Amino acid sequence: MLDDNKKIKSALLSVFYKDGLDEIVQYLSSKGVKIYSTGGTLSFIEQLGVSAHSVETLTGYPSILGGRVKTLHPKVFGGILARRDNPDDIRQLEQYEIPEVDLVVVDLYPFEETAASNASEAEVIEKIDIGGISLIRAAAKNCRDVAIVASRRQYAELLSVLRKNDGGTTAADRRRLAAQAFDVSSHYDSAIFSYFNRSERIPSFKQSVQGAMPLRYGENPHQKATFYGSFGDMFEQLHGKEISYNNLLDIDAAVRLIREFDEPTFAILKHNNACGAASRPTLLQAWTAALAGDPVSAFGGVLACNRELDKATAEEVNKLFCEVVIAPAYSADSLTILKQKKNRIILAAKTFELPAAQSRTLLNGVAAQDQDTAVETEKDMTPATDKKPDAEQVKDLIFANKLVKHSKSNAIVLAKDRQLIAGGVGQTSRVDALRQAIEKAATFGFSLQGAVMASDAFFPFPDCVEIAHKAGIVAVVQPGGSVNDQKSIDYCNANGVAMVTTGVRHFKH
């Protein structure tokens, strides 16, 4: 049976970050706890007017190798790892004059921060903590008897525990703190491995993400869901209900899409696909054109724009029921208007970088790949036909190609004047995707005369360009690469359709 409340009689404190440590030190001192410490932490404690003992006086050895070796000694680790209910362990402590240590408070050198900076490799490697990580593992392993705090984020929790238990810790406290400590140490080691594996490419997948946000529910209400990451680093939620799993998928898709555009642009997404999108001189004009593309699918959608959302635009947006609105900023008036719907999620997007790689669980493992960061411009579009697209058509082809890149395959996008006229997405046949897009355009009263077409992959047969031409399409962008490319090119040449190829496929599943 574990002793449910062990009083702290001695503690080892050795930390990089001192903020918030003073209250812990003062409390331990008030309870008569014997404190051992090192270097800068020892100086900090003494400046508080609290008596502490240097680790060097305990071990009989100074800090050596420029501080690389300070606590790595049996007199330190013996006092942490000794099992208090094991007579042999206690006898050896007495034999070698090793004091018991009941509490260890350490944190680790800022390896991740240093690696993310422009520091040299030598500077990064110097931030690989050795003594600290060893102390964490030792104290966590012996959590039956020892409490461990491995991060400054736990200082407040430790102080609360000590006050609640009159200077002691319960078995449940120590086990919880140990679990948190192993979370810290495993994350730290994963970061170090990832740093070295950038060049080594060892075939091992390791990813550690700290921070969790409970989601309203999963893909369906009966499924539980959690987002692991720092949502607050990317967005400030200004209003609305708790975010769901599906909301998050659409938010991710919306952010990736809207980042492709420099000019004022509005996009409306549903189930990760754009059902409306337009670029215009003003945000209000962009919104009006985007909504016109498919006002039916826009109901309950996720909206994203790349300019501050103003009052006039907010008044129009507010007429639509939508789940989420994303903008880099909002005018005071626009927020007042948008907040009229109590459940509407309003997100202010911060400046942040997306990961360079993506991964997903598949079967009994994980598949990882580079993000599709390819962005085709006019110089990447090689004319394949006798007729070349004119300047306006090129702008539309670039616009359509950005949209089809972010649409579920098989995908076809029809666009004109930087407006999404219609899209066919998620179809098992490219012809079906095209027919879906043509039918949708007709449903909402759009003429395809003079419009352009973008395809996420090559045309295996010339049927798509023939159907598109007969519907009014005048220019086409596609990756190319089919053994039947020439058949599609021949049809375009015979019928005055301009075609360009990019050499870049944009499948999305």
Side-chain angles (χ1 to χ4, degrees), residues 342-355:
K342 68 175 184 178
N343 287 328
R344 178 183 285 151
I345 297 166
I346 303 175
L347 301 177
K350 301 178 181 179
T351 300
F352 60 92
E353 293 297 320
L354 291 168

Side-chain angles (χ1 to χ4, degrees), residues 262-460:
D262 296 321
E263 59 272 38
T265 302
F266 229 116
I268 306 169
L269 282 86
K270 200 75 172 288
H271 298 292
N272 311 152
N273 294 297
C275 58
S279 297
R280 291 289 185 271
T282 71
L283 200 59
L284 178 57
Q285 292 171 331
W287 164 253
T288 303
L291 180 62
D294 186 348
V296 175
S297 296
F299 183 85
V302 170
L303 320 181
C305 63
N306 59 358
R307 295 291 190 276
E308 178 178 311
L309 210 154
D310 56 89
K311 179 182 178 182
T313 307
E315 287 175 337
E316 293 304 311
V317 168
N318 197 46
K319 296 175 182 178
L320 175 75
F321 167 72
C322 58
E323 285 275 323
V324 183
V325 181
I326 307 167
Y330 299 82
S331 70
D333 288 339
S334 72
L335 272 182
T336 300
I337 293 166
L338 294 175
K339 286 181 178 180
Q340 290 174 9
K341 306 291 173 60
K342 68 175 184 178
N343 287 328
R344 178 183 285 151
I345 297 166
I346 303 175
L347 301 177
K350 301 178 181 179
T351 300
F352 60 92
E353 293 297 320
L354 291 168
Q358 60 182 165
S359 58
R360 65 195 296 181
T361 56
L362 292 177
L363 301 174
N364 67 348
V366 175
Q369 66 172 356
D370 297 334
Q371 295 279 6
D372 182 1
T373 57
V375 179
E376 291 77 56
T377 62
E378 182 176 1
K379 67 179 178 61
D380 302 304
M381 295 183 173
T382 303
T385 52
D386 297 334
K387 184 175 182 179
K388 311 297 188 291
D390 63 30
E392 285 302 303
Q393 290 167 355
V394 167
K395 291 178 182 178
D396 280 343
L397 289 170
I398 292 172
F399 176 86
N401 199 52
K402 290 177 179 179
L403 291 175
V404 83
K405 169 185 171 181
H406 293 274
S407 301
K408 291 295 181 72
S409 300
N410 288 308
I412 292 287
V413 162
L414 307 178
K416 185 178 180 181
D417 298 330
R418 269 69 75 203
Q419 178 186 21
L420 171 60
I421 300 301
V425 298
Q427 299 301 301
T428 54
S429 159
R430 195 157 303 282
V431 170
D432 286 346
L434 174 56
R435 285 178 173 149
Q436 181 191 61
I438 292 172
E439 181 181 349
K440 179 177 279 192
T443 298
F444 296 111
F446 285 103
S447 169
L448 292 176
Q449 298 300 317
V452 306
M453 174 173 71
S455 176
D456 63 339
F458 63 61
F459 300 116

